[in-house]
Amino acid sequence: MKIFVAGATGAIGRPLLDQLLAKGHNVVALTRSQERAESLTAQGIEPAIADVFDADSVKAAIAQAQPEVVIEQLTALPKTYSRESMSAAGPLNTRIRLEGGANVLAAAQAAGVRRYLRQSVAFWGIPGAGLADEETPLSLDASPAVAADAHLVTEIEHRLLETSNLQGIALRYGFFYGSGTWFNPDGDVGQQVRQQQFPIVGNGDGVWSWLHIEDAAIATVAAAEQGNRGVYLIVDDQPLAVRDWLPAFAQSLNAPPPPRVSVEDALKLEGGADIVYYQTQMRGASNAKAKRELNFQPRPLEWMVNTVAAHAS
């Protein structure tokens, strides 16, 4: 198939392009940079030069490419995972997801694209017992930043899924780990854990759902090839509470055990309510639908496997 990728330079974009090429697809990738266009050409990928905020240039690029499928992975996330850097990146990230995404979607509709995939978020299901699934409502009344992102995700998903003239698919990914992500030995959170700057808050009951960046790419290609209209939760098989995954991550880095902070003290920090939500209320997600419909087979969480192996040796 001919597949157009918007957001091809991010953490998931690079392995996604590799997977698409490996499966024999004809790939066109959107870029603003002539230098990046030359790099894409060298990889065997057709570049399309346009600015996502320029609706006419995006429309022209997709009209010229005439793809069957568009995969949108537009984000503007910082290299560091901190309250300050995330807040600073927030306005552009919101704009690129809303305005840039709207331009790509409108261009895809105008070009007669039949299937459109969009990056979304797996970990905003309302707190509760068990794992969230695709029907679980999102946390629209959570802590400030969580609620804002849940509202943004809801708007983006509704805009896509209510589009009648193409097949819209929202891929709700778990927390990325692996090469090029924050949660990697050379990533920003890895550095924070080594410096004991990433504590366990309260009881650490918040459950996180993980996803290796290469598994995200594999699942995305499967959805492009055979997915059905609607939402898919793309996460691994092992949702884990912070009190379990964070010490294991630290151990895998040969870092000291993470410090502990009370909920009361965490709430005194800037963005404290959001920190407490992530650490004590986050709800894990089920990948049953993705396994059933996309034959999704995620790898075990890397540092949990390494920790078990270390204990066994």
Side-chain angles (χ1 to χ4, degrees):
M1 289 189 297
K2 193 167 192 181
I3 298 178
F4 187 99
V5 180
T9 59
I12 188 174
R14 292 184 291 273
L16 175 58
L17 295 180
D18 290 342
Q19 286 293 328
L20 288 168
L21 291 174
K23 295 296 289 292
H25 294 294
N26 184 358
V27 184
V28 182
L30 185 67
T31 180
R32 289 183 300 170
S33 158
Q34 182 62 45
E35 181 181 358
R36 177 60 177 155
E38 293 170 3
S39 173
L40 290 167
T41 300
Q43 291 178 258
I45 296 164
E46 179 184 340
I49 300 178
D51 185 329
V52 293
F53 297 126
D54 182 342
D56 289 339
S57 69
V58 173
K59 186 175 181 180
I62 294 182
Q64 180 177 345
Q66 285 295 301
E68 297 169 72
V69 178
V70 168
I71 302 176
E72 183 201 327
Q73 300 281 4
L74 295 173
T75 59
L77 295 172
K79 291 189 178 299
T80 56
Y81 184 66
S82 68
R83 171 60 51 185
E84 295 76 20
S85 60
M86 295 295 284
S87 295
L92 177 58
N93 190 43
T94 297
R95 185 186 176 209
I96 200 168
R97 292 162 78 187
L98 281 177
E99 183 184 337
N103 290 339
V104 176
L105 179 58
Q109 289 178 271
V113 169
R114 67 180 179 85
R115 182 175 291 166
Y116 191 106
L117 283 68
R118 176 68 174 87
Q119 179 179 149
S120 192
V121 181
F123 35 85
W124 294 148
I126 58 171
L131 300 178
D133 63 19
E134 285 77 5
E135 304 304 318
T136 302
L138 301 186
S139 296
L140 301 178
D141 297 319
S143 56
V146 172
D149 211 34
H151 279 280
L152 176 61
V153 165
T154 299
E155 180 177 347
I156 290 169
E157 289 187 356
H158 282 176
R159 184 173 64 195
L160 173 60
L161 300 178
E162 292 170 4
T163 301
S164 59
N165 62 340
L166 53 71
Q167 186 183 52
I169 299 174
L171 300 174
R172 293 182 183 172
Y173 300 119
F175 286 96
F176 289 148
Y177 74 97
S179 178
T181 74
W182 295 316
F183 293 90
N184 200 51
D186 63 356
D188 188 60
V189 175
Q191 297 301 327
Q192 291 182 42
V193 169
R194 288 190 184 92
Q195 295 165 13
Q196 292 199 290
Q197 296 174 348
F198 202 106
I200 298 172
V201 174
N203 55 20
D205 274 348
V207 177
W208 292 36
S209 285
W210 295 94
L211 181 63
H212 193 282
I213 197 71
E214 292 178 10
D215 287 341
I218 291 167
T220 302
V221 175
E225 294 172 338
Q226 66 195 58
N228 297 308
R229 178 191 293 270
V231 175
Y232 288 93
L233 289 168
I234 310 297
V235 298
D236 73 12
D237 295 329
Q238 196 174 13
L240 288 167
V242 175
R243 64 172 181 270
D244 296 321
W245 71 257
L246 184 48
F249 185 44
Q251 184 176 340
S252 75
L253 299 172
N254 293 317
R260 287 186 173 265
V261 173
S262 70
V263 168
E264 293 73 22
D265 286 343
L267 287 171
K268 297 173 185 175
L269 302 172
E270 181 184 356
D274 294 306
I275 295 169
V276 170
Y277 183 93
Y278 273 78
Q279 289 263 345
T280 67
Q281 295 178 273
M282 189 79 75
R283 184 174 182 180
S286 166
N287 62 14
K289 180 181 177 182
K291 295 182 86 167
R292 184 174 65 248
E293 296 188 12
L294 304 178
N295 192 31
F296 181 50
Q297 299 175 29
R299 70 199 71 189
L301 182 58
E302 201 168 81
W303 60 80
M304 297 303 294
V305 173
N306 294 343
T307 301
V308 170
H311 280 305
S313 59

